[in-house]
Amino acid sequence: MGDFLLDEWSLGLGDDALPAALAALGALAALGADRLAAAHDGHGWLEGELQRLLADAIDPHSLILPWRLPRRPARATVPRLAVMRAGRRRAADLPAPAADMLARLWRAWVNGRAQAPRLALQGQAREMARLMAVAGILARPAAAAAGVFVSTRFAADGRADWRWPVTMATLPGDPLGEALAQRQQGKPGDWPIRVREASRAVSRFEVLVVGAGMGDALARLLASRLTLRCGLVLVAGLRTEPPDREGALLRALASRVSADGVAVLDAGESLQDFAGRLDGFGFALSHNLTIDQALKAAFGDGALLVAEPGLLERARLERSVTRATERLRRMAPGARLELSERSLELLRRSPAGAGAPPVGAAMGAPPPGAGALAPAELANAIEAARDLYEFRSEAGEATAIAELNQRLAEAERAAERQAPVPRHIQQQSYCRRGQRFARERRAYTVGVPVQVRIHIGPRRADSVAAPTAFPEDRLPASESGHRLQLVLHEPRQFDAPLLREVHLPRTGDSSAARFVFTPRVAGAFAARLSVLHRGRVLQTVLLRTEVLDGATAQAGGAGITLEDEAQVRQDWSDLGSRRQFDLALVLNHTAAGTPLATGVAGGRAWACSLEGIESPVRKINDLLSAVALSVADYDEGLDQGENPRLLTRLARVGANLYSLLYRDQLKPLASDGFDVGDPAVSHVQVVSARPDAVVPLEFMYDYNAPSPDATLCPQHRQALQDGCCPAGCARSANPRAHVCPMGFWGLKKVIERHLFDPRARLPEGAQVAVLAEAGEGRDRLALGSGAVLGHSREVQDAQVQPLVEALRAGLGHAPALAGDWDAWRRLVSEHHPALLVAFPHNEGKEEDVLLEIGGNKLYTLDLPGDYVRAAGGPPPLVFLLGCDVAGTAQDFSSHVRFFRQAGAAVVVSTIATVFGAHAVRVGELILAALTARDAKAKPYLGELIRDAKRAALLESVPMALCVVAFGDADWRLQ
């Protein structure tokens, strides 16, 4: 302890006395020179006065006692305390009280208290290593502290709220996850501490636990490529890092997950031992202890906590009780909350021994099972029973509060959806005038720097707003708000898209994003502004004006406007629970008609031209369409007949497409630490802002292009079964000699597609038709509720019969068969199906597109909703598999958007011609995989369709490669 000048001062103290002496010394050092004056009479320290000062320094509510390192003047041999002497301007620097005296004083003071203090170690950032070392001493039993933590502030943003039930998550592949899950077995289903594995779907939670030291924990977190948000990080490996390195690692770890606290823990003798202590920590939290107290109770002196004090307060269950009461009183009087009988009983109890009638008596007897109460009644019950929350009943109260929080969140989201508050994307433009930027409302000028300020908020007279309101009322309940990415790009005026972030609170204005560029070409200016959340595009708008040259700059301009383009999400109430995507692409055309892709991934934005893409797209369609004319040549196995040649040719075209879209233009990103071609980039969202901007990313082939005479990799079946190539496969040893189906993006990535059509009929005042979406509490597709099937007269009944039997086996009943579109419409109305399967024939182009089944033709432009979804029925999963339904061969003309606008949850279609039996066989294999009993193991539709395509290729159906899905990938099947 020489670094703290404590060696001489503490010489002779036993191990039991040192923690007590240090506790008293730091507590006194935190008092300040003015307050210490009364404890020194000019000759020595007054023990009684020192004890009184300690009693006054502790916060009576939180029991926190501030602690600071003593002064360390040069050449001093013992710690010093600053004392302001009477009549003097400067504090005297006096030797600290003797260590044995302080140890005695501390013991006497602590023993005389009803509750032990919590020590909050405070200091400068440069003192972090010393504070962490002292914290380990103060955590020993001899200090008799109820909790010990190093108090600091983390530069975190986008924090996760702390809510009950508390989720304790582990990283994928961490053995600690299984050990924790085993500890959960035998606990009630409504236990308020939940154990989960972090993933795209589980990315915001309260506690992240890593079964490794800080250095390894940070490496594992970075390797996972997950973007996680949590309140607290718990890592194993106490005292395994050098003190000077530990603080830097700790801050880096907190920054990576926007945490407010990190604790380094003694893992014990085994994984099971560590899991048991973590279980004890959760149990202590559920009994209203603060985080530092809960760690002390579970780990003793084997825990080092560095945290913001605000986190410790927010995480306390009692705080959740208070917040729940406040939220209840803000709710509408007519609202009702459904709660389980167990929770109602706990929330209705009166204080023991209060002598008052039960609170529930004023409400009437609860109904059997679940019950409903008005919010005000529940708030009164909770406040009248505050003494209940001593939390003695095996976490029962924590369970009740956890359920109440969940019901409150549901009710608040429902209320907010009914009372929208208008906020808009808004801009202000400024042009350089001399040495400063001046407001510009007319136009930009070539060569003159421009600053565009973008924010989201209520309309303001000094800003230009997009016409359609930003759906502020539908954002998920979050005290901290949301981080949104904004991407601005005008390819004629600046080369690379500009990426910024804003913080959007629950109400009021967001922070501002400032984009600076210098226009370089006179003419129309049309910049696309895309808004993203967690890797998914939410909305795009167009910033329009003119760029004038120097000679015409004084002539004015038409003005600067924001125009709606596409709103991908209509209901944002569950953004916090949406899964994270790795890569987002917006496909569109410039004002001059040039096809363009704008991408956002890995904290970067870029744009690439799609010029030249027509050739590989046409070749892909021609190759697949040829298969439809000779089905028998492709059904003997992927390594038999024409299949190897087909896959090789597709892979060569796909490699050219990959080179066009990635290697030529995006590869430089890999040098910056992010590679969109990495297998870990497994979830992609594609937004086609024009209906003719569909790009077949599914056929991107990111392995080396095989030679024209390549053979199928001998390990292709294992690769398709496992979802990745086995180590040391033949293709990896000789890349050009073999082709592997797992090189195609459609078999390795989840690709979520969205289409928009400006010609579609829209609700009055809207820019984009409302589409069915997956959302919290309504994200289930119950396929077993009913199915309708119809087919073109070019498909024989006998060819459809195997699919009918497969659906009968998977759904438990046969689908209703529609002989034509009239029967289809009637069956949709009668059966309320969640699955629609059509094998139609496609005819026509543009506004004259039509589909034929049973000889009956249906024009799909402005398709009436009752062809897709019955009134009050679920949004269905629709299969349109047939003759070029999605439209690659027809210049991307598509029926898909019309079925989506009519209420389909997801439309599964093809991007090449698929005839007759082959179309049915593709549908049979995909649907068999979706309706299999083990489908619930991977409930998300995006993963299920990807895996079903792999299964279809194992059955020698290469046409499954051209299956694509339009709509949210987050729908779940049940």
Side-chain angles (χ1 to χ4, degrees):
M1 295 299 295
D3 186 39
F4 297 95
L5 305 176
L6 302 180
D7 287 354
E8 182 177 330
W9 174 77
S10 60
L11 189 65
L13 285 182
D15 291 341
D16 290 343
L18 177 60
L22 273 180
L25 176 64
L28 294 174
L31 289 173
D34 288 338
R35 300 185 67 184
L36 283 174
H40 198 282
D41 62 1
H43 303 286
W45 294 98
L46 307 176
E47 190 168 344
E49 285 298 316
L50 291 176
Q51 196 169 72
R52 183 187 61 79
L53 287 174
L54 288 177
D56 292 342
I58 192 169
D59 184 315
H61 173 70
S62 67
L63 302 180
I64 288 180
L65 183 67
W67 193 102
R68 286 189 178 275
L69 289 167
R71 292 165 59 82
R72 303 187 307 138
R75 296 185 297 278
T77 58
V78 296
R80 316 281 289 186
L81 296 177
V83 179
M84 182 60 70
R85 308 294 291 273
R88 298 188 181 183
R89 293 185 176 182
R90 299 184 62 180
D93 200 28
L94 303 178
D100 57 350
M101 171 187 167
L102 288 184
R104 185 173 63 254
L105 178 154
W106 181 262
R107 289 168 177 162
W109 178 68
V110 169
N111 290 337
R113 292 185 51 79
Q115 294 175 289
R118 300 165 57 203
L119 297 179
L121 280 65
Q122 303 167 346
Q124 303 293 324
R126 64 178 181 272
E127 298 174 318
M128 180 62 70
R130 296 192 293 275
L131 288 170
M132 292 168 67
V134 172
I137 299 175
L138 296 178
R140 295 176 187 173
V148 178
F149 65 98
V150 177
S151 177
T152 190
R153 290 195 61 81
F154 290 106
D157 207 348
R159 296 176 173 90
D161 289 338
W162 191 287
R163 296 180 181 274
W164 290 82
V166 169
T167 295
M168 190 178 293
T170 57
L171 292 175
D174 192 333
L176 183 59
E178 183 177 351
L180 282 172
Q182 291 174 352
R183 299 287 308 190
Q184 291 292 103
Q185 294 177 4
K187 289 185 169 63
D190 57 358
W191 190 252
I193 307 295
R194 302 180 297 191
V195 174
R196 298 287 188 271
E197 182 178 278
S199 66
R200 300 172 188 280
V202 183
S203 61
R204 298 180 75 90
F205 39 80
E206 287 72 33
V207 183
L208 173 66
V209 189
V210 187
M214 276 193 291
D216 287 342
L218 182 59
R220 291 184 187 183
L221 188 58
L222 293 172
S224 75
R225 294 190 181 277
L226 293 172
T227 300
L228 305 178
R229 295 289 183 269
C230 67
L232 175 68
V233 184
L234 304 178
V235 298
L238 184 65
R239 290 180 283 274
T240 59
E241 298 286 350
D244 58 342
R245 186 168 180 260
E246 202 165 38
L249 285 172
L250 187 144
R251 287 197 171 275
L253 192 59
S255 176
R256 185 66 175 79
V257 293
S258 296
D260 288 328
V262 180
V264 192
L265 308 174
D266 182 355
E269 299 296 326
S270 66
L271 199 63
Q272 288 69 29
D273 185 20
F274 189 33
R277 296 187 186 191
L278 290 170
D279 190 46
F281 166 69
F283 184 83
L285 279 181
S286 72
H287 283 64
N288 202 35
L289 295 186
T290 58
I291 290 175
D292 55 312
Q293 292 172 317
L295 287 172
K296 189 76 182 334
F299 289 88
D301 59 355
L304 171 60
L305 173 64
V306 180
E308 295 191 15
L311 169 67
L312 308 187
E313 179 61 25
R314 290 195 304 274
R316 192 172 187 179
L317 184 57
E318 187 176 18
R319 170 70 180 273
S320 189
V321 174
T322 301
R323 288 183 58 229
T325 306
E326 294 170 350
R327 292 163 67 192
L328 284 166
R329 296 205 178 280
R330 287 197 300 265
M331 293 184 66
R336 308 288 288 183
L337 293 181
E338 294 281 347
L339 292 175
S340 68
E341 179 59 30
R342 180 185 179 192
S343 293
L344 279 176
E345 176 62 25
L346 287 164
L347 294 173
R348 295 156 75 97
R349 278 194 247 165
S350 298
V359 176
M363 308 179 210
L373 291 176
E377 293 175 325
L378 273 175
N380 291 337
I382 294 172
E383 289 184 345
R386 290 295 294 194
D387 290 347
L388 163 70
Y389 299 104
E390 295 176 8
F391 303 90
R392 297 184 296 262
S393 60
E394 295 297 309
E397 289 79 12
T399 298
I401 293 301
E403 184 189 356
L404 176 60
N405 277 334
Q406 290 176 311
R407 300 291 85 79
L408 271 169
E410 294 167 3
E412 287 168 345
R413 284 195 294 268
E416 288 170 347
R417 282 194 289 267
Q418 295 173 5
V421 177
R423 289 200 290 188
H424 297 255
I425 297 176
Q426 298 174 71
Q427 74 86 25
Q428 293 176 328
S429 291
Y430 300 83
C431 290
R432 178 70 66 83
R433 302 282 190 268
Q435 298 301 313
R436 66 185 186 88
F437 281 99
R439 184 67 187 274
E440 178 58 59
R441 292 180 171 86
R442 299 180 303 167
Y444 305 149
T445 303
V446 173
V448 177
V450 175
Q451 181 187 94
V452 176
R453 181 185 184 277
I454 301 289
H455 81 280
I456 301 170
R459 283 184 181 272
R460 289 175 16 186
D462 63 345
S463 298
V464 176
T468 299
F470 192 83
E472 180 271 339
D473 58 300
R474 296 173 181 174
L475 289 171
S478 171
E479 291 188 350
S480 59
H482 300 278
R483 298 299 301 181
L484 301 177
Q485 289 178 306
L486 304 183
V487 180
L488 185 73
H489 190 218
E490 216 294 4
R492 294 178 68 244
Q493 304 296 342
F494 45 92
D495 292 327
L498 307 175
L499 174 64
R500 301 290 185 269
E501 282 194 349
V502 298
H503 177 252
L504 183 69
R506 291 193 65 183
T507 59
D509 287 346
S510 72
S511 57
R514 290 175 171 83
F515 301 94
V516 178
F517 54 88
T518 302
R520 59 192 180 190
V521 180
F525 182 97
R528 175 165 285 102
L529 177 69
S530 301
V531 183
L532 297 92
H533 178 270
R534 299 177 67 225
R536 303 174 96 142
V537 177
L538 303 178
Q539 190 171 17
T540 65
V541 298
L542 292 177
L543 173 64
R544 289 190 181 274
T545 188
E546 296 178 81
V547 177
L548 308 176
D549 60 26
T552 61
Q554 300 302 317
I560 305 171
T561 63
L562 284 177
E563 300 177 6
D564 295 324
E565 185 181 34
Q567 184 170 300
V568 180
R569 298 208 56 73
Q570 299 296 328
D571 183 356
W572 295 5
S573 61
D574 63 335
L575 280 185
S577 63
R578 300 288 294 180
R579 292 187 300 160
Q580 168 194 330
F581 269 44
D582 303 303
L583 169 63
L585 290 173
V586 176
L587 308 177
N588 54 273
H589 290 66
T590 67
T594 303
L596 186 74
T598 304
V600 181
R604 298 165 176 82
W606 70 92
C608 60
S609 171
L610 297 178
E611 288 186 300
I613 199 173
E614 297 87 353
S615 177
V617 168
R618 189 181 308 109
K619 289 180 181 178
I620 288 171
N621 186 68
D622 291 345
L623 287 169
L624 291 170
S625 297
V627 177
L629 302 175
S630 183
V631 174
D633 293 334
Y634 300 91
D635 62 0
E636 295 296 327
L638 283 188
D639 56 354
Q640 301 296 318
E642 291 295 318
N643 279 326
R645 184 167 179 266
L646 170 68
L647 290 173
T648 297
R649 295 181 67 185
L650 283 173
R652 289 180 61 79
V653 177
N656 186 25
L657 185 65
Y658 185 65
S659 177
L660 176 71
L661 294 183
Y662 172 61
R663 286 201 175 98
D664 292 348
Q665 304 185 59
L666 309 185
K667 185 65 174 177
L669 287 176
S671 63
D672 295 332
F674 182 84
D675 185 356
V676 297
D678 192 292
V681 180
S682 59
H683 286 61
V684 180
Q685 186 198 49
V686 184
V687 176
S688 297
R690 282 177 43 165
D692 56 348
V694 178
V695 176
L697 294 181
E698 287 78 1
F699 289 91
M700 296 257 280
Y701 188 82
D702 58 14
Y703 292 161
N704 295 100
S707 300
D709 58 350
T711 60
L712 199 63
C713 179
Q715 287 82 36
H716 72 277
R717 294 191 66 84
Q718 183 180 348
L720 286 169
Q721 289 168 351
D722 297 343
C724 61
C725 294
C729 68
R731 188 208 60 81
S732 62
N734 196 348
R736 295 194 177 276
H738 300 286
V739 62
C740 176
M742 286 305 298
F744 293 104
W745 274 26
L747 297 178
K748 66 170 62 177
K749 300 183 187 296
V750 172
I751 301 177
E752 176 182 286
R753 290 183 174 274
H754 296 272
L755 275 178
F756 297 93
D757 182 6
R759 298 169 299 179
R761 183 179 62 196
L762 304 175
E764 184 177 356
Q767 298 297 314
V768 177
V770 176
L771 306 180
E773 299 169 341
E776 186 176 1
R778 47 181 176 76
D779 59 350
R780 307 287 173 152
L781 296 177
L783 299 188
S785 64
V788 171
L789 185 151
H791 61 83
S792 167
R793 61 184 176 183
E794 297 185 15
V795 178
Q796 303 300 314
D797 290 343
Q799 295 172 329
V800 177
Q801 194 57 37
L803 173 59
V804 173
E805 297 303 321
L807 288 176
R808 187 196 306 273
L811 303 178
H813 53 80
L817 301 180
D820 56 25
W821 284 116
D822 292 335
W824 175 285
R825 190 177 196 176
R826 175 176 51 79
L827 291 171
V828 168
S829 177
E830 292 176 355
H831 293 272
H832 290 210
L835 176 63
L836 302 177
V837 183
F839 300 100
H841 177 70
N842 172 67
E843 296 180 17
K845 293 184 179 181
E846 298 180 349
E847 65 272 8
D848 294 325
V849 291
L850 60 84
L851 296 176
E852 172 267 324
I853 64 171
N856 180 240
K857 297 179 180 181
L858 175 70
Y859 289 94
T860 55
L861 177 64
D862 288 341
L863 182 66
D866 55 0
Y867 278 93
V868 176
R869 184 178 183 181
L877 171 61
V878 178
F879 276 71
L880 295 179
L881 302 176
C883 305
D884 184 33
V885 173
T888 298
Q890 298 292 338
D891 297 327
F892 306 121
S893 171
S894 177
H895 303 273
V896 170
R897 59 187 178 275
F898 301 129
F899 275 80
R900 284 278 284 136
Q901 291 160 6
V906 175
V907 178
V908 178
S909 189
T910 58
I911 53 175
T913 302
V914 186
F915 290 148
H918 217 153
V920 178
R921 182 61 174 154
V922 170
E924 178 186 342
L925 292 170
I926 299 291
L927 284 164
L930 295 185
T931 57
R933 291 183 179 179
D934 60 351
K936 292 181 180 179
K938 286 185 177 179
Y940 291 110
L941 186 61
E943 279 86 349
L944 287 170
I945 290 177
R946 178 201 61 195
D947 295 352
K949 291 164 65 173
R950 295 174 187 164
L953 261 72
L954 285 170
E955 295 295 325
S956 190
V957 182
M959 290 304 297
L961 281 169
C962 69
V963 170
V964 295
F966 297 83
D968 286 356
D970 280 356
W971 287 100
R972 297 170 181 251
L973 298 188
Q974 64 180 29

